[in-house]
Amino acid sequence: MTEALLLALALAMDAFAVALTQGAKFRPDARGGLAIALTFGVFQAAMPLAGWVIGAVALIYVEAVDHWIAFGLLAFLGVRMLGGHVGEEEASHALTGRALLLAGVATSIDALAAGITLPTLGVAPLLAVALIGIVTFAMSAGGVALGRVAGDTWGEWAERAGGVILIALGCKILAEHTGYL
């Protein structure tokens, strides 16, 4: 369960960073903030669900190396987040309508790849997916509200923290499956 929560927190960081910037730059009202949080939460839950289905189908073919795949995907996503460029385009303009839907997809692409790793976590995938959606919703709502008050200075740090968490999860999965933990 701890791994699923850490994964949820890490995946929510890019949505949080975009929501924080939206709150700081565009100051959406409560309805706009709710729309951002709901969109990000739904997409962050749907993408790992799709990834899990892909991973479950492929697992019978790659079971011997699934831990390496999980490590590679999570490390790649983590390094990408450490670069601090995830969500830059989405944060540069006010998110409404089609732009909000596109931002929901763009900020959750990493969740699709992470969903492939769900079978390696040892937690019920549907529980993990629900947790990812709920955590993303809550963090996005909080990000918009915090951005309205404090500005967007924490967005970059949040994204980098998410990257570190994803890399650490990948290392933990690899260490467990190779017998080091």
Side-chain angles (χ1 to χ4, degrees), residues 102-119:
L102 290 174
V105 171
T107 58
S108 62
I109 293 296
D110 57 343
L112 177 70
I116 294 170
T117 70
L118 287 180

Side-chain angles (χ1 to χ4, degrees), residues 4-68:
L5 182 58
L6 287 173
L7 180 63
L9 287 169
L11 291 176
M13 290 299 184
D14 55 348
F16 173 77
V18 172
L20 188 70
T21 302
Q22 286 293 304
K25 287 184 179 178
F26 304 106
R27 308 236 187 264
D29 60 11
R31 197 170 116 177
L34 180 62
I36 290 169
L38 190 58
T39 300
F40 286 169
V42 167
F43 276 100
Q44 286 282 27
M47 290 296 217
L49 183 60
W52 170 60
V53 170
I54 293 167
V57 169
L59 187 62
I60 60 172
Y61 302 109
V62 296
E63 194 166 9
V65 294
D66 65 345
H67 50 284
W68 287 103

